[in-house]
Amino acid sequence: MAKKLVYFFGKGQSDGNAKMKSLLGGKGANLAEMSSIGLPVPPGFTLTTEVCKLYYENKKRYPKELKSQVETNLKKLEKATGKLFGDKKNPLLVSVRSGAAVSMPGMMDTVLNLGLNDRVVEGMIELTGNDRFVWDSYRRFIQMFGDVAMGVPHHAFEHELEEVKRAIARRKGIQDADSLVQEALNKKVPDVAMDVDALKTLVGRYKKVYKKYTNEEFPQKPRTQLWHAINAVFNSWNNERAIAYREINEIRGLLGTAVNVQTMVFGNMGDDSGTGVGFTRDPSTGEKSLYGEYLMNAQGEDVVAGIRTPHPIKDMQKENKKLYQQLQTIRKKLEQHYKDMQDFEFTIEKGDLYMLQTRNGKRTAHAAVKIAVDMVKEKLISQSTAVTRIEPAQLDQLLHPMFDVSEESKAKVFTKSGLPASPGAAVGQAVFTARDAEEWTKEGKTVILCRLETSPEDIRGMYAAKGILTARGGMTSHAAVVARGMGKCCVAGAGEITMEEKAGRMKCSGQEIKEGEWISLNGSKGVVYVDKIKTIPPKVSGPFATLMKWADKLRTMGVRANADTPQDTKAALKFGAEGIGLCRTEHMFFEGERILSFRKMILVAPEVKRLRDLLTDEKEEERKVILQTQLEKPMKQYLEALKELLPLQRGDFAGIFRELNGKPCTIRLLDPPLHEFLPHEAEGQRELADALGIDAAQVKTTVDSLSEFNPMLGHRGCRLGITYPEITEMQTRAIIEAALQVHAKKIKVRPELMVPLVGTAEELNMQKQVITDTVNAVKKERKLKKLPFPFMIGTMIEVPRAALTADKIGESAEFFSFGTNDLTQMGCGFSRDDAGKFLVDYVKAGIYESDPFQSLDTAGVGKLVQMAADLGRKTRPNIKLGICGEHGGDPKSVKFCYQVGLDYVSCSPFRVPIARLAAAHAAIENPPRKTKTGARRKTARKRAGKK
Amino acid sequence: MAKKLVYFFGKGQSDGNAKMKSLLGGKGANLAEMSSIGLPVPPGFTLTTEVCKLYYENKKRYPKELKSQVETNLKKLEKATGKLFGDKKNPLLVSVRSGAAVSMPGMMDTVLNLGLNDRVVEGMIELTGNDRFVWDSYRRFIQMFGDVAMGVPHHAFEHELEEVKRAIARRKGIQDADSLVQEALNKKVPDVAMDVDALKTLVGRYKKVYKKYTNEEFPQKPRTQLWHAINAVFNSWNNERAIAYREINEIRGLLGTAVNVQTMVFGNMGDDSGTGVGFTRDPSTGEKSLYGEYLMNAQGEDVVAGIRTPHPIKDMQKENKKLYQQLQTIRKKLEQHYKDMQDFEFTIEKGDLYMLQTRNGKRTAHAAVKIAVDMVKEKLISQSTAVTRIEPAQLDQLLHPMFDVSEESKAKVFTKSGLPASPGAAVGQAVFTARDAEEWTKEGKTVILCRLETSPEDIRGMYAAKGILTARGGMTSHAAVVARGMGKCCVAGAGEITMEEKAGRMKCSGQEIKEGEWISLNGSKGVVYVDKIKTIPPKVSGPFATLMKWADKLRTMGVRANADTPQDTKAALKFGAEGIGLCRTEHMFFEGERILSFRKMILVAPEVKRLRDLLTDEKEEERKVILQTQLEKPMKQYLEALKELLPLQRGDFAGIFRELNGKPCTIRLLDPPLHEFLPHEAEGQRELADALGIDAAQVKTTVDSLSEFNPMLGHRGCRLGITYPEITEMQTRAIIEAALQVHAKKIKVRPELMVPLVGTAEELNMQKQVITDTVNAVKKERKLKKLPFPFMIGTMIEVPRAALTADKIGESAEFFSFGTNDLTQMGCGFSRDDAGKFLVDYVKAGIYESDPFQSLDTAGVGKLVQMAADLGRKTRPNIKLGICGEHGGDPKSVKFCYQVGLDYVSCSPFRVPIARLAAAHAAIENPPRKTKTGARRKTARKRAGKK
């Protein structure tokens, strides 16, 4: 038997089905599927993708059996429709469309109304009684066929169209013909001016154009038209655009494209005809009711063009009850069959309803959640399917205030050059210093803090502000990271803005915003508006909670939050965090007056170090004595400052432990370089000097001596703890004492102490020694044999060298937490504060798939993570592994973390639900094996704090 | 038969030999060896290290056979010496010394004169007729035995000594007794004041001290003394100091220490006795003649203490011809046996010559080279052995001017806090700006350029200066790297200096140096002197050339140099470079007036980029038109500036190609961030604005907008080429055109174009496209079918991500050059400009074995190199691999490069001989296998440019 090359569909019978995408293409398979479940699809047939393959393998010749199979199916089609191809009385018109297994914009799209010719036109006019419609269809067909199938330049037809329109205009005495044409072209005004005669003239001109470019008369035989169109589709598979598209999108392994030949139906054949689009549920609210629009005596393109206003589908209930009932039946059938909300297109031709297309409908996050949860209740889908239906990133819409879309679209843009650094919407009066942000807020005003860039000094102002805008810095700049941590809207690195902080204004493309003027930020898009835009508060409704409960049940990986204060911790727990994966201790130093103590310590620390270094020169006994007397004063000041900080930090930790109530808390020792805590401006330096009763010059000297060329790679992280072990000591003591204090009140505590920026095992060992010595000292003071709570010491893996030598580091570390922000900075060689300048271009150029600070660069940085995880487990099989970089809240990165086998991810509180959902997706896609690993994962999950 | 636990040596017969170090310890094996080759060694015996092991295994009890074996050997010793242990008439005195297989300062050292007691003292006095000598020996023995063997505190004996000395002083009427004592203690003035009575008193007092601390009388039986001493040696094996020493130095796998008991010989028994040290060749010149000093009627310690001035050994020729002849025979025997220059100690006791020790002698680099080459000529050693005799690092002494050591030791130190950034010595007048350095030099002055730190703007001043001093920056800071490249002395990062450039002075620990004052730099040590110190020019003598020829024959790895100019290239070739491994194009931009063109380009480049970015928004047709008109002017300026630079760069490259005469030249495209080329001070910005006829504010705005938080991780390397492909185009064109120009003159050329800072394969692909397009354009213009010379495109591997994905990158790169400076910065997370602040401490604390910028961190960064080499070869088996970081000139790193299988190393011209020698060492230690790899290496060597 000859190979089956053509598949029929229609009238409740189909040769193919939805699973045959690779053979029939997406469109063909879908049409076959709809047909076979009894939906009224205009019948037709599909030439398989295999034909395409054979066509190219055989020097662009078709397999010989094709012609007869097409002919057989054409006959079958004529029989099914009761129409005849090329018949004057009852002509069969068809559409010809390409359709590969993957949608591919590079190929030929559609030829409509194929089958029309001079003779059929006449018959059609008789049939429809609408000569304008028929002539317009004919001229459109010639144009489309010529352009799409035969390669006649589009502009050649357009030129004729303009000429004819001009002629009409002249005839009608309209002087300014160009403006009319322009208007018609630009605004897609209907060609009302074109009468039947004009259309006839146009058909004649089009035929001439066709001949000029093809050296052939326009073909009058429908079969010739059909084969030309089929050829065109197959040839378009290998045109430059299609090849480029496949290369860019890395589409491989396809046989070719299929060709779909389908009966035309017309919604514009009179008042008993029409067209519409429907949703099986409301795509904006998720309500379970038919939703959509329709328009009688119209074609789909009329609806799209917005020429006439369509009616809501519910109106049909009154106006055409039968059709409405039919649509309701279809709605039910679609959902029963596709198990998802469908977005479908239909046409009514002389009272008969036809389905042209159906696909999963787009919906708002809100609707998506409601639909998924409802469908589980309706037993249409499983909980697990419901969970996978929601894209984790969509949740952002539910967790932050958003702009009213219609208001936003009308608002005046200040700049679009910003990065979407922290999602949500914020409206407020512009202020240009952190101090103003604080003070204005105290006065009851709502402000947006606008800065060139932010630094830790601005923290309090950032807390006070409703939103943050910076002109410099990337997605993981200080402003962006802190804002996301606070769940606060932020637009960062808006490079087009000239920020004049001292003058209290900013400028962009000729616009200026002065202090006190209202602006609006869209932190999800990175856009700044000059206006006040209405915002809609977040809705964390019932279905959302249900869905998250299911997600939690399904996932195996823990989810923690990055939080630095009791308030943040509270927020994190509300969002479902199972502990804190990163508690940054440095932000604590900025609260209240404590910054002064901290600065006092910093100002004297370098002198302490210098004198100590001299002391190590043991041979010079005398010098030693002198130095010890020199050292006494600065050492005292240094230790005093630390002593002042101890109770404050202890209080912070106690507050966090109380909130956590037994959930684990990973606390990172001091990380940023010391100069970040000092004022860099002369004014601030003077104030500090006054507060401490010292000389301003001394402050300046210290700030200068601490300044660094590349602070990111400077004296920070555990390098500080190694130079100044007393800081590590103080922080350890604060943690242990706080834990004991909270534990004494019968509240469980689980502190995990994390050493940052470790590059070698020796660094960790040295810091671990300081930590255990301090713990032992506290135990001795309290007369404890052991700590009455679990306590772990681990490290961040954020320096490439640490990842490379993780086997060694694993000897001392009880856990690794991947600091993928810094690992990306060092691994890729990008300063997160500077890379904004070129990273956008890099993503545009495809050098990176996405911003590596937003979504983990799995091929590069991910390799380091994988390597470190493997090496760490080799040394310590039960090592706890987590991630606390910004990537912990990025769905794609969460999936990667799951693949690598991390025990948990940690992210900003506001991204916790996203991470929970992403973790569930990962587990569903790739279920944990029931082997040892599985067992390990469960234990791991427990250890990670998951219930 | 019982296990042999004691080994006899002496009188030309020995139970052991030099190979038995692990059993007899280093000292014991050496004494046995000297004995057995017939050298007159005072006889003795060695208790093996196994005894030590058994002692500890058996709860500090000796194996029972030990006692009898010691007794047997003691008898043998008495027979061999004709003396008896404890005999009054002819007493046998011995020394007892510890000696493990590895020299270990933590253990007990030596007890001399063991066997002395009250009775023997009398006999000795009769025998020697020198009661002062005997009583002094006795009191020394008690002190040494008490202190070293029995743990009596040193100060307890010292106290008695002082008391006695004070008594003498009082008796002699010297009032200021303390000062006398002080003088004696400090300057080691001989105790001439101590007469026999005083010594007798002292012996009495010492015995009391001994009893007080040990609760025992001082033992009179020599055998008791001996066993106490043996116990002490074995116990010292596990004292805290020794354990700590072994831990720190990672000494493992030793059985224990041996104990050497050896007959005492005395050089102070009269005028027919004496002592001396000898070298078999002159350790300072390498001349083949007996060299050394001796002193009659003296002990070794007298020579060491510098109490009397010893005579040169050649004087002995006149004074004691027989002894001299005997020493000559020994000299010959030693060299024949040890095949190396020996440094030996001897004692003459009553006319008999005894050898106490021999070891390979220390020597100057100059002598080392001459001796090694001479010994090959004398057929004592092979060429390969000669090559391994010279430590590559030693060569530095031969390649740079050095200070006269005696002058340097007397010079006044300004600071020792500097880093030895570029070796050699330099003397000049201090200047504090690059401009002054240039101008003063033009006036014929010799200057040292003193800066807080240097930047590319200072290049011309650095060229002009004799030496460079900076107060900031590490071993691979700009100043250090550039200075090494120029072979210019540099002390960098002298953190103690307060540099006041504007005031024209610098301060350090209360001293001040003003502009114009003379200073001297020791770039090999990192020391700055206030004085003018005499320098000695480098000597690259005949033997040096011979040795290097042998090294070249033996090595398989190529050695290239980093050079940026024809002059540097010339120097590099003189030092034996086989090509250029790194030609940095950016330094060229600073020469002459060309910096102006380059700055003109930079000033307009950001605007060009901004406008271009807008252009990509294709939909906004109108905007496009407007922008194209906006773009015209800046684009023209941008291209014009590049056009001005083209012929200048072409000329530079042509000059280098001519010098190289067919040797390969790897040229790196522009690497530093653009802001490094702009003036950062207001004054410089004003000047630039004036020169270009623009507004100073505009210059400032551009400088500000280009400034970066972490320039190291910023917009540089190929990131520039991707943003500004025209720069890559211009540089490629300059290279190709220069190569064609030189080739036309029948000079061979081998350009290799290197793309810097690649992190992903896509970056390289994009730059490669620009390069090949440019090459094709040049070919088309010249009507060439192919380039008439070999041409390669490769990349630096300096971003960790590049190393991790080197398989992908290897698809486009024809060669990899490891940029280990940046790879270290990013891999370890160290900014080379800032890390100086803590890296010194890190090395001190053992966190890194050595500064990872000086010697490659093989465990971390080396892992990346290994990984990249493996991945690269997997994709492209014949990929050429080299290193062009500073590590290319570090012997340890060169060895690592050899192990990884790199084809060549590249380093500063002045380090080329070091690298050549290190490469030879590597090949000798680990000869290339005769397998495919070997074959590959040979090809590789050819490809690397090695003849």
Side-chain angles (χ1 to χ4, degrees), chain A residues 453 472-473 496 609-610 613-614 616 623 704-716 718-720 722-723 757 759-760 762-763 766 799-807 825-835 837-838 841-842 844-848 857-861 863-864 867 871, chain B residues 453 472-473 496 609-610 613-614 616 623 704-716 718-720 722-723 757 759-760 762-763 766 799-807 825-835 837-838 841-842 844-848 857-861 863-864 867 871:
Chain A
E453 69 231 9
R472 270 209 229 164
E496 286 182 2
K609 173 180 160 29
R610 192 183 71 83
D613 283 351
L614 289 176
T616 58
R623 209 174 178 184
D704 288 351
S705 77
L706 287 174
S707 84
E708 296 180 306
F709 294 97
N710 299 289
M712 158 69 214
L713 305 172
H715 197 193
R716 52 174 284 243
C718 69
R719 298 167 192 173
L720 290 173
I722 283 172
T723 309
L757 211 75
T760 76
E762 287 71 20
E763 284 175 305
M766 286 172 72
V799 175
R801 197 188 185 284
L804 293 163
T805 59
D807 44 352
Q825 294 201 77
M826 297 182 217
C828 299
F830 292 144
S831 161
R832 71 180 190 190
D833 292 315
D834 303 309
K837 281 181 194 164
F838 55 86
D841 300 335
Y842 262 46
K844 260 193 220 158
I847 294 172
Y848 281 89
D857 160 42
T858 50
V861 179
K863 207 164 166 183
L864 285 172
M867 200 181 288
L871 288 171
Chain B
E453 70 232 8
R472 271 208 227 163
E496 286 181 1
K609 173 179 161 30
R610 192 183 70 82
D613 283 352
L614 290 175
T616 57
R623 210 174 178 182
D704 288 351
S705 76
L706 286 175
S707 85
E708 295 180 307
F709 293 97
N710 299 290
M712 159 69 214
L713 305 173
H715 196 194
R716 51 174 285 243
C718 70
R719 298 164 192 173
L720 290 174
I722 283 172
T723 309
L757 211 74
T760 76
E762 286 72 18
E763 284 175 305
M766 286 172 71
V799 175
R801 197 188 186 283
L804 293 162
T805 59
D807 44 352
Q825 294 201 75
M826 295 184 218
C828 298
F830 292 144
S831 162
R832 71 178 189 191
D833 292 315
D834 303 310
K837 282 180 192 165
F838 54 87
D841 300 336
Y842 262 46
K844 259 193 217 157
I847 294 172
Y848 282 89
D857 159 41
T858 50
V861 180
K863 208 165 163 182
L864 284 173
M867 198 181 290
L871 288 172

Side-chain angles (χ1 to χ4, degrees), chain B residues 615 617-618 620-629:
Chain B
L615 276 183
D617 198 352
E618 274 180 38
E620 307 189 15
E621 288 286 335
E622 288 184 48
R623 210 174 178 182
K624 190 170 169 174
V625 177
I626 297 165
L627 289 174
Q628 277 172 335
T629 45

Side-chain angles (χ1 to χ4, degrees), chain A residues 23 329 365 371 467 500 609 721:
Chain A
L23 189 67
T329 312
I371 290 171
E500 300 178 1
K609 173 180 160 29

Side-chain angles (χ1 to χ4, degrees), chain A residues 760-878:
Chain A
T760 76
E762 287 71 20
E763 284 175 305
L764 178 58
N765 292 342
M766 286 172 72
Q767 282 289 282
K768 198 173 169 181
Q769 190 63 52
V770 176
I771 294 163
T772 49
D773 285 353
T774 308
V775 172
N776 289 336
V778 175
K779 284 195 300 196
K780 208 172 158 190
E781 289 160 20
R782 312 280 177 116
K783 298 197 174 67
L784 293 168
K785 272 195 185 153
K786 46 174 274 182
L787 293 178
F789 48 79
F791 177 62
M792 275 192 175
I793 302 174
T795 184
M796 276 189 72
I797 300 289
E798 53 185 335
V799 175
R801 197 188 185 284
L804 293 163
T805 59
D807 44 352
K808 286 266 171 207
I809 293 172
E811 287 171 12
S812 315
E814 293 174 273
F815 64 86
F816 287 167
S817 180
F818 290 96
T820 46
N821 290 352
D822 278 5
L823 201 57
T824 301
Q825 294 201 77
M826 297 182 217
C828 299
F830 292 144
S831 161
R832 71 180 190 190
D833 292 315
D834 303 309
K837 281 181 194 164
F838 55 86
L839 220 41
V840 180
D841 300 335
Y842 262 46
V843 175
K844 260 193 220 158
I847 294 172
Y848 281 89
E849 206 179 310
S850 50
D851 182 336
F853 290 114
Q854 284 184 271
S855 196
L856 192 74
D857 160 42
T858 50
V861 179
K863 207 164 166 183
L864 285 172
V865 172
Q866 177 78 63
M867 200 181 288
D870 291 347
L871 288 171
R873 279 190 289 243
K874 209 174 93 186
T875 302
R876 188 186 288 260
N878 69 341

